[in-house]
Amino acid sequence: MADLVTLLSALTSVDNNVRTQAEKSLNEEWIAQRPDVLLVGLAEQAGAAQQVALRSFSAVLLRRIAPKDSPSNTGDRDDTVWDSCSGEAQARIKALVIDAFGKENESTVRHKLADLIAELVQSTNEPWPEAVQALFTCAQSAQPSYRESVFRVFGVAPDMLEDAGADLNALFRTGLEDPAKEVRLAAVQAFTMFLTGTDDARRNALAPLIPALLNVLPPMLAEKDSEGLTFAFNALNELVEMYPKMFSAIFNSMVNFGIAVLKDKTIEDSARQAALECLVIFAEGAPGMCRKDPNYASELVVECLALLTDLGDDDEVQEWLDAEDIDADESDANHVVGEQALDRLARKLGGKTLLPPAFTWLPKLISSQNWRERHAALMALSCIAEGCEKIMRAELDKVLQLVLPALADPHPRVRWAGCNAIGQMSTDFQGDVQEKFTAQVLGALIPALEAPESRVAAHASAAFVNFFEQSEEADLEPYLDPILERLLNLLRRPQKYVQEQAVTTIATVADAANTKFAKYYSVIMPLLIGVLRDAQGDDYKLLRGKAMECASLIALAVGKELFAPQANELIQLLGNIQSSLAPDDLQSQYLISAWGRICKVLGADFHPYLQAVMPPLLVSAKLKPDFTVVADEEAKAEYAEEEGWEFFPVRGQHVGIKTSTLEDKCSATEMLVIYASELKQNFQPYVNDVLTEIAIPGLTFFYHDGVREASCHLLPQLLNCIKLATPGAPVQEAWSSVSRKLLDLLQREPSIEILSELFQAMYECIEVVPELLTDDDMAALVTSTEAQLRDYMKRAETRAADHRAGDVDLEQDEDALLEIEADETMLGEASKALHVVFKHKHSAFIPHWQRLLPYVDRFSQTSDANCRQWAVCVYDDVIEFCGADAWQFRDRFVKPLASGLTDEAAEVRQAAAYGIGVAAQHGGDVFSDLVAQSLPSLFQLATSSEAKDIDNVYVTENAVCTIAKICRFNASKVTDLPQVIHHWVALMPVTHDEQDAPYAYRFLGELLETRDNAVVSQLPHVADAIAQALESAVIEGNNRDLLLRQFKTLLAGLGQQQAQQLITAIQPESRRSVLMAALQ
């Protein structure tokens, strides 16, 4: 063993050369050639070496080497160094380690041996009864350090206890009530780890120990033991996260204790933050329990607000203003922790629970003389807005009255917080902020761009990004001049982060303003080209990337004609940058996206540049995930310094993935979608490689949902490229590969969001090659849909049960609402898939589709309006595309259609009205009684007092169009048709429903041609209806031209004076002008 001792000494040398040579010897001579000797020797040294440091180092080295991959692995083998040892050597090592553990007197070394035992248990995954017995013996030791080491092992490897055959209740109670604090803390870790991993029976049997677990905490608060409190709460939090209801009996006591820790500013922030985390986790796992507690929301909101005021001393403000790195990590700062907690609480508890205690304090704080309190109030509003969106949206005017004055606050940090709040609200209350409060918001935000403090001005610029992303073109035009003037001024400030943000905001403005941005093009595009040409050096990489983004978005906004003169210069600059990119250059992602936008602008004219653009794009699209596994925080820190790494704890180790690589892959795949859709058959040379190496494998790239979504969007575009370029066998082969993969994933995909994308990919591919859809494909699609409908019903039932139990509030819980939204989207995409198959295969799809009837029937009878709508829409498709063949299912669909016309949900009424319309148009005589009997309900829909409300307008117009279809296509059973038509004319116009409006106006045109009494007797109304149709642009092209010809013919028969009187009577003047211009 002398050689090994020499090696160990060299491995700990302070001489880098000696240490490097020793590491080489360790890997090449010992691990690769003599693993048995090495591991046995390390085990011997861990127990027998004279020096404490050598025993400790030997235990650590053995723990690290044993689970490493063996150098002798070949092919698919994944043996560890431990696996490469003989059974005799493994037994010897275990015996030596247990012996060393039992006799070691130095607590630091024994802790290392405890870690080693736990590692061997985890990595070998084999029973080790001798270790269990030794540990239970040590648990009875009179020395606290021995008892601590026992629980230290169980805390890392709790599975050892599953088959221990011992009284676990006694073991854990003894540990939790041990007189030594360090033993109690180790027991907390062991107990919580065991409970999180064991089965329900054992967990329930040990539940009576929960009070003993919590009794460990108060003495540490009394002693101001911050480190112990932090450790205990962190261990406790894992159990709370998985099984919060285990604490229901003593929950109020836990809340009160957690609040007491939060209030105590004499202990370290880490302990207070760990206590806060525990309380917030309860909200995420058992929100009902939290809502019922009398102190939870009121006390926790106050403490979170207090944390938000912890912003340092006044002399730190200037340092904050002068900082160049405005993205510095502040995740462990109290104010950031408090913000995150409020956000999470709002998302789970909702506005009904959180807003009353919050608004008990927010108005006072926002009017405080203390700038920290004003800042806290604004940040709190930013944090709770999303989770409390429903209630706060209804009071948005009052909320903005609190926020907008802050943009003129004397303190720069308060102004910054005001900008932050406006940006967040522009996103959370999108639509309402932009449509109802444009003047107020922009009137306050535009001056903030001129703030003397660059950090404030940059944040105001960032708030505009949020505002513009949801803004209509008409809202922007009056404000473009002052906004762009100030953004251009920001470009002249010296700070790079200000310039970068200004460029980003200009890009967003251009994207929102669209063609209205043309007047600024000649000023801004040359500036951006100048940045790309002149801003050299690594320090300007991000600015160049932002300039690429901005220039390409502007080109997309103003269009090909205006962009063309600068196109070649910009393309040359981008090409030069691309040729000089280093690996992992942050410009690459901006460049990839810029090429894609330029392709969208130039269309087929981009084809000549494809040869230069595609090679690096394909490299990025084919990137593999970059992983690493590290054993401790020290090794993890080396990667954390490199941008793009994220780590996740897994069984005592840290698994890292380089997320920047994934983002590059996602962007590249998204750009391939653009190239394939824009260039079509010209993209053919790359199609096979992209399909087989990128798109199809990308469907199962589970590391990044964005890649999977982009791959779904790419498939139909690639099929279209093949079909246009080489129809026949190649597209048949491609369809076979694509459909097989999609149909397989549709049946087993667990992610609801990705499932929606898969359904969309499936029906879009069918639209490209409907002729290739086989009976087997249809059968497989129904099988997949059936599986997903079954899973949907289970999820819906679980949500309903949780709602009844008070665990989930389906009106307020943000996560539950997002789950419901995802499910609704998935159902919609599944319905579209069925729709497309019916559209192309008609009655041939019925034999396969019939298997879904039990689900459709169940959905039609549920209390969930979304499900009822889904069922009616499915029946609508059967009727529309199968005509009279659908009548065989009349006993199933007549009731849902009839009751749907009077359903409380507008979306169901609309679907039912549409269904009656397609029955009239496509169903033939067998549907004549049904459609005639539906007329009273349809007229009731169209004439109700709420018919024109925004929530009902599409229902109303669907009903009006359906009446037109009945009168036009299927009126044989209609009583007193002339009177029905007369009343129908009185219901016009249709101004919103672009899909069905042509049916209404074609029928109106036919009545005009025949000078039907229904129109002749209501000519002023008819003329106004036609004017409104033109004003709303609800009909265009041939439908518009035909209606105008028919109307002109009627006017010509009236005589000039009567026709002029008819037109002149139309009000307002703007509507009359539209009609007169169209009649010219």
Side-chain angles (χ1 to χ4, degrees), residues 182 192 216 231 264 357 842 868 1036:
E182 61 271 23
T192 56
V216 174
F231 180 89
D264 193 337
H842 304 286
R868 296 198 303 277
E1036 296 179 337

Side-chain angles (χ1 to χ4, degrees), residues 981-1051:
I981 294 174
H982 182 88
H983 289 307
W984 173 80
V985 171
L987 296 176
M988 293 294 279
V990 171
T991 57
H992 291 75
D993 192 341
E994 296 179 3
Q995 180 181 351
D996 265 12
Y999 294 106
Y1001 287 107
R1002 283 179 190 171
F1003 184 50
L1004 182 63
E1006 292 170 2
L1007 296 176
L1008 290 170
E1009 276 191 330
T1010 61
R1011 298 179 66 84
D1012 189 282
N1013 184 62
V1015 295
V1016 172
S1017 62
Q1018 303 180 77
L1019 267 181
H1021 175 73
V1022 170
D1024 186 67
I1026 293 172
Q1028 289 192 54
L1030 298 172
E1031 184 181 39
S1032 64
V1034 75
I1035 54 169
E1036 296 179 337
N1038 292 335
N1039 292 316
R1040 178 181 182 276
D1041 295 343
L1042 178 60
L1043 179 64
L1044 284 171
R1045 285 198 301 272
Q1046 292 163 330
F1047 187 49
K1048 285 180 182 179
T1049 301
L1050 184 139
L1051 290 176

Side-chain angles (χ1 to χ4, degrees), residues 892-938:
R892 295 178 181 271
F893 65 66
V894 167
K895 183 176 179 181
L897 286 179
S899 61
L901 292 174
T902 57
D903 195 281
E904 62 183 16
E907 60 268 31
V908 180
R909 298 197 301 274
Q910 183 180 347
Y914 180 84
I916 297 299
V918 295
Q921 185 177 359
H922 301 287
D925 290 342
V926 292
F927 281 88
S928 57
D929 283 321
L930 173 63
V931 300
Q933 292 165 8
S934 301
L935 282 170
S937 295
L938 292 167

Side-chain angles (χ1 to χ4, degrees), residues 87-405:
E88 181 181 354
Q90 291 177 353
R92 173 72 174 151
I93 294 165
K94 286 182 173 182
L96 287 167
V97 169
I98 289 299
D99 181 64
F101 180 81
K103 67 183 185 183
E104 180 60 60
N105 291 319
E106 287 288 340
S107 60
T108 56
V109 179
R110 193 181 318 101
H111 288 341
K112 297 293 190 297
L113 289 166
D115 296 341
L116 172 57
I117 293 170
E119 178 60 49
L120 290 176
V121 170
Q122 287 186 300
S123 60
T124 62
N125 198 26
E126 296 172 353
W128 194 358
E130 298 86 355
V132 175
Q133 182 58 48
L135 290 168
F136 270 87
T137 299
C138 287
Q140 308 302 318
S141 171
Q143 297 185 40
S145 65
Y146 272 93
R147 302 196 301 273
E148 179 189 1
S149 292
V150 170
F151 287 109
R152 188 182 178 100
V153 175
F154 293 146
V156 177
D159 293 351
M160 294 179 72
L161 295 171
E162 290 290 354
D163 300 313
D167 185 353
L168 298 183
N169 192 302
L171 172 72
F172 285 124
R173 182 177 291 280
T174 301
L176 294 170
E177 297 177 349
D178 195 283
K181 179 172 63 177
E182 61 271 23
V183 180
R184 296 197 301 272
L185 283 172
V188 168
Q189 175 80 13
F191 184 56
T192 56
M193 287 296 291
F194 182 78
L195 288 180
T196 58
T198 193
D199 57 40
D200 289 341
R202 282 194 176 95
R203 192 162 34 252
N204 292 336
L206 292 170
L209 291 181
I210 292 295
L213 171 67
L214 298 181
N215 286 338
V216 174
L217 298 173
M220 288 187 286
L221 179 59
E223 297 167 9
K224 310 300 182 185
D225 181 2
S226 299
E227 185 177 350
L229 277 171
T230 303
F231 180 89
F233 269 118
N234 286 339
L236 187 62
N237 289 349
E238 294 192 35
L239 181 60
V240 172
E241 184 173 4
M242 295 184 69
Y243 302 103
K245 291 190 176 180
M246 288 190 74
F247 301 86
S248 57
I250 54 172
F251 180 60
N252 184 250
S253 298
M254 283 200 70
V255 172
N256 292 336
F257 180 75
I259 295 296
V261 173
L262 271 170
K263 286 179 179 293
D264 193 337
K265 296 182 180 180
T266 64
I267 60 176
E268 296 293 331
D269 289 340
S270 59
R272 299 172 66 208
Q273 292 175 11
L276 175 62
E277 179 67 13
C278 180
L279 295 176
V280 174
I281 291 174
F282 272 115
E284 292 174 329
M289 197 161 71
C290 296
R291 291 190 190 98
K292 293 173 184 175
D293 186 87
N295 301 329
Y296 182 89
S298 58
E299 294 282 354
L300 197 50
V301 165
V302 171
E303 296 311 313
C304 286
L305 290 172
L307 289 176
L308 263 62
T309 65
D310 191 353
L311 293 164
D313 299 329
D314 285 343
D315 56 9
E316 294 178 29
V317 173
Q318 192 60 47
E319 179 183 345
W320 179 86
L321 288 172
D322 293 340
E324 285 289 335
D325 182 10
I326 61 171
D327 296 319
D329 183 18
E330 292 185 299
S331 59
D332 59 349
N334 276 343
H335 68 95
V336 175
V337 172
E339 290 165 13
Q340 294 169 346
L342 279 176
D343 174 65
R344 292 161 65 190
L345 290 169
R347 289 171 61 87
K348 296 304 296 185
L349 300 182
K352 291 180 182 177
T353 301
L354 210 67
L355 288 178
F359 272 85
T360 298
W361 294 99
L362 290 178
K364 301 174 186 175
L365 292 176
I366 212 162
S367 59
S368 168
Q369 295 300 307
N370 185 331
W371 70 265
R372 292 176 184 79
E373 294 184 350
R374 300 198 300 276
H375 184 283
L378 292 163
M379 295 306 296
L381 285 168
S382 300
C383 295
I384 66 176
E386 183 179 8
C388 304
E389 180 263 335
K390 285 190 175 180
I391 296 176
M392 288 181 69
R393 186 182 288 270
E395 302 292 334
L396 188 53
D397 56 337
K398 297 176 183 175
V399 175
L400 287 172
Q401 287 173 16
L402 292 176
V403 173
L404 290 176

